[in-house]
Amino acid sequence: AGAVLLAMTGLPARAQTVTIPDRDTGQAQPEALTDNQPDDQPDADPSATRRPQAARRTVRVFDFEERRTNSLDVPAGWLRAQHDPLVPRDRPSFPIWNLARLDYTVAATGEGSLRCDVEGGSSSLRLKPGELPIFPKGEYAIRAVVRTEGLVSARPRLVVRALDREGRAIPGSQRQTIVEELDTEWQPIEVVLPGEFADAAYLQIDLEVVQPQEFRRESLLNHQVWAQDFDGAAWFDDVVVTQVPQLRLTTTSPLNI
């Protein structure tokens, strides 16, 4: 029988043994380094060892509170993922006139949120490649809250995908969830990126309002006529990315006995 090895990933390390040179002798001395500080608080000593942002349980929070730091109407680190031959970005069902933007009149918390209007066609705001580093084979939960107004046929959608080191989407990594029940009150929306992608280097998020042809199954093929919304919007707020703990149980025996 082999020894049992138990490994947990996705949890921030609270205590580690590290080697720190002695200030007087210069000799390396093992010391216990304990991190008891909350994830969102800076270390008291600027010279202290810090965990990288990607190693925290809460990896990133996008609350769209940018009134004092961003003079643009697009959140920092995001872009409008509309059809644009000059980029080039081939998304004909996402016309250039649907402009997602920051909104400081509606919010779930604080004063800012992300507003996606639709005036025919779909609307999308996308996190830029390289903006959110992740671990290979890491599992991540992406949560947000959303509310709608004026939508009848279109629906809010949350899309995530893993990118490789070159910023290219990894085939088969895209996951999405759509809000079927519309509500003028805030409601949660969540999608999980599974820890299956060894080449994953970055996470990309799309916040969208999509017309029915983006999520309904065609019944008449090319003859399908889709209803569209021409005066509606959805607001997204408090987008939180967390690393999901994973448990692996193995043995030292090749037979796992």
Side-chain angles (χ1 to χ4, degrees):
V4 176
L5 302 178
L6 183 65
M8 294 193 69
T9 61
L11 287 174
R14 291 299 179 186
Q16 304 173 358
T17 299
V18 298
T19 301
I20 302 176
D22 185 85
R23 293 182 179 179
D24 297 324
T25 66
Q27 298 295 320
Q29 301 291 333
E31 294 187 11
L33 173 65
T34 303
D35 180 4
N36 295 318
Q37 305 224 12
D39 283 352
D40 57 353
Q41 295 295 323
D43 295 324
D45 182 0
S47 64
T49 301
R50 299 182 181 181
R51 295 193 308 275
Q53 185 71 26
R56 299 174 185 270
R57 177 70 184 276
T58 299
V59 180
R60 195 77 173 268
V61 177
F62 300 96
D63 57 12
F64 306 113
E65 303 297 334
E66 302 184 21
R67 185 192 290 271
R68 296 171 179 82
T69 59
N70 182 8
S71 61
L72 304 177
D73 61 354
V74 177
W78 298 74
L79 58 86
R80 291 170 176 143
Q82 303 299 116
H83 178 69
D84 190 345
L86 298 179
V87 174
R89 187 185 301 114
D90 186 24
R91 304 187 86 190
S93 60
F94 288 77
I96 197 67
W97 58 76
N98 286 332
L99 302 179
R101 65 186 189 276
L102 289 167
D103 187 351
Y104 296 111
T105 64
V106 176
T109 60
E111 60 179 8
S113 66
L114 185 281
R115 174 173 178 156
C116 291
D117 289 284
V118 287
E119 299 177 1
S122 301
S123 177
S124 178
L125 189 81
R126 175 172 293 171
L127 190 65
K128 293 179 179 178
E131 192 69 27
L132 184 51
I134 58 174
F135 288 113
K137 291 191 174 182
E139 184 170 326
Y140 294 86
I142 299 87
R143 302 179 179 89
V145 291
V146 62
R147 55 159 294 190
T148 63
E149 188 173 295
L151 297 182
V152 177
S153 301
R155 294 291 186 273
R157 183 169 70 178
L158 173 62
V159 182
V160 302
R161 64 185 66 85
L163 308 181
D164 62 20
R165 291 183 178 273
E166 304 300 323
R168 298 170 300 200
I170 296 176
S173 69
Q174 181 165 301
R175 299 292 188 273
Q176 63 185 40
T177 186
I178 197 163
V179 176
E180 287 288 357
E181 299 296 328
L182 301 178
D183 199 331
T184 55
E185 300 297 323
W186 294 99
Q187 59 178 311
I189 183 172
E190 178 180 353
V191 65
V192 174
L193 180 76
E196 302 173 357
F197 309 104
D199 295 333
Y202 302 101
L203 181 70
Q204 189 169 66
I205 304 171
D206 291 357
L207 306 176
E208 301 180 331
V209 178
V210 290
Q211 301 286 359
Q213 65 265 36
E214 298 295 324
F215 61 91
R216 300 291 188 202
R217 180 175 298 179
E218 292 184 353
S219 58
L220 300 176
L221 300 179
N222 293 334
H223 302 287
Q224 184 81 38
V225 177
W226 297 102
Q228 291 206 24
D229 289 339
F230 290 88
D231 185 16
W235 288 261
F236 294 87
D237 202 359
D238 296 335
V239 180
V240 180
V241 181
T242 57
Q243 190 175 178
V244 179
Q246 300 179 61
L247 176 67
R248 295 195 300 271
L249 181 63
T250 61
T251 73
T252 56
S253 168
L255 299 178
N256 276 337
I257 295 178

